[in-house]
Amino acid sequence: MKAGRNINLAFLFLSFCFSQSSLTKNQKITNNLGFSSGIYANYGSSNFEVDGFVRLENNIGMFTESFSSLNYLDGYAIYSSVGFLKKVAPSSLLGAGFSNYFEQGNNLNELFIGSSVSSLTTFIFFELSNFQKINAMGILDVNHFLPKISYDIFLIGTISQELNQLGGDLFINFSKLTKNRILYGCILSLERFESNRLEKKAFQKNGVEYEKFLPSSIIQYGFYNNFYIGFNFF
């Protein structure tokens, strides 16, 4: 399984719903409540996957959202969050909240704070089980610099610890939302993953020195791709 999958899933959903998403940035909230949802099919380095999300928000900035993912090899994952957004300037937002990431064999609870200023959105995540373990991500809206492009481009970077090593992942997302609410695109990424290799270890027994090859977990980088198409209901 790829390292840092939890923060990557959080990024995919939060960047879509909280920052410069074309789905929500023009949405009008009526009757004090806004609602958005969608479902997508993905295929790429992670094989075939089906994703869906639901988001509710009101006109004072409170929101709750849930994102689920079903991979036919890795199983399922569910990401949920609740929080608030505060508009502090015409092109600036501040936000904070609580998030839970659950997949088979893994459950992660985090507090997060975020900001969006012009073309840049940033998040910092604090794990509740280890408050000193901090993850971060940044999202750059490339269309801010290339306004004539007919599709959306985002550059995303994440920083987190894997196997007690600080490192990062890099993504570039190309997408297009049609007038019929069909969303399609692709994500290219350079991501960390955990693998094993044999390392020679020296030890002594009864005064005699021995050498033995033992498996050791290491972090490596790999290139990944993901193509998706789906429908935004609202």
Side-chain angles (χ1 to χ4, degrees):
M1 185 180 69
K2 297 181 201 175
R5 184 179 176 184
N6 52 352
I7 197 170
N8 295 339
L9 179 59
F11 138 69
L12 287 172
F13 187 62
L14 284 172
S15 64
F16 186 75
C17 291
F18 173 42
S19 62
Q20 340 276 349
S21 169
S22 57
L23 173 63
T24 58
K25 67 182 179 181
N26 294 320
Q27 184 183 34
K28 294 181 179 180
I29 300 178
T30 58
N31 299 323
N32 298 323
L33 186 66
F35 176 77
S36 55
S37 63
I39 187 169
Y40 313 100
N42 306 263
Y43 185 79
S45 302
S46 298
N47 296 295
F48 184 72
E49 187 173 284
V50 176
D51 304 327
F53 81 92
V54 175
R55 173 186 171 92
L56 290 171
E57 59 183 320
N58 61 23
N59 60 357
I60 61 173
M62 301 297 296
F63 71 88
T64 180
E65 55 197 10
S66 181
F67 175 90
S68 61
S69 174
L70 176 62
N71 187 295
Y72 284 87
L73 290 182
D74 294 336
Y76 66 90
I78 300 173
Y79 175 84
S80 301
S81 67
V82 59
F84 74 92
L85 300 174
K86 177 67 175 179
K87 190 173 183 179
V88 295
S91 60
S92 300
L93 289 170
L94 292 178
F98 167 81
S99 67
N100 171 264
Y101 176 84
F102 176 81
E103 67 176 356
Q104 294 163 306
N106 183 29
N107 186 45
L108 178 66
N109 295 307
E110 295 177 305
L111 296 176
F112 65 86
I113 57 175
S115 67
S116 181
V117 179
S118 185
S119 60
L120 181 63
T121 299
T122 57
F123 291 97
I124 300 177
F125 295 84
F126 303 89
E127 290 189 20
L128 293 185
S129 61
N130 183 3
F131 217 70
Q132 293 182 340
K133 189 173 183 180
I134 300 174
N135 301 320
M137 72 176 74
I139 308 161
L140 181 65
D141 182 3
V142 178
N143 296 81
H144 180 81
F145 308 98
L146 302 171
K148 294 184 179 181
I149 294 180
S150 61
Y151 49 89
D152 296 324
I153 305 177
F154 296 100
L155 285 175
I156 307 101
T158 69
I159 299 175
S160 63
Q161 285 191 0
E162 302 294 341
L163 297 180
N164 296 319
Q165 298 179 24
L166 185 65
D169 307 304
L170 184 64
F171 304 80
I172 181 168
N173 177 40
F174 303 90
S175 64
K176 177 73 173 181
L177 181 64
T178 71
K179 294 180 180 180
N180 296 323
R181 297 177 181 163
I182 295 175
L183 180 72
Y184 61 91
C186 71
I187 300 173
L188 305 177
S189 61
L190 176 64
E191 297 181 61
R192 293 163 292 168
F193 65 93
E194 183 179 332
S195 65
N196 293 310
R197 71 178 180 186
L198 293 177
E199 290 189 351
K200 185 167 63 175
K201 304 288 185 178
F203 62 96
Q204 288 187 347
K205 184 177 181 180
N206 299 325
V208 180
E209 187 171 299
Y210 296 88
E211 290 184 345
K212 188 175 182 180
F213 286 92
L214 299 173
S216 176
S217 296
I218 61 171
I219 294 295
Q220 294 183 306
Y221 280 87
F223 289 97
Y224 298 91
N225 61 78
N226 185 53
F227 300 90
Y228 58 89
I229 186 169
F231 185 78
N232 294 332
F233 296 100
F234 298 96

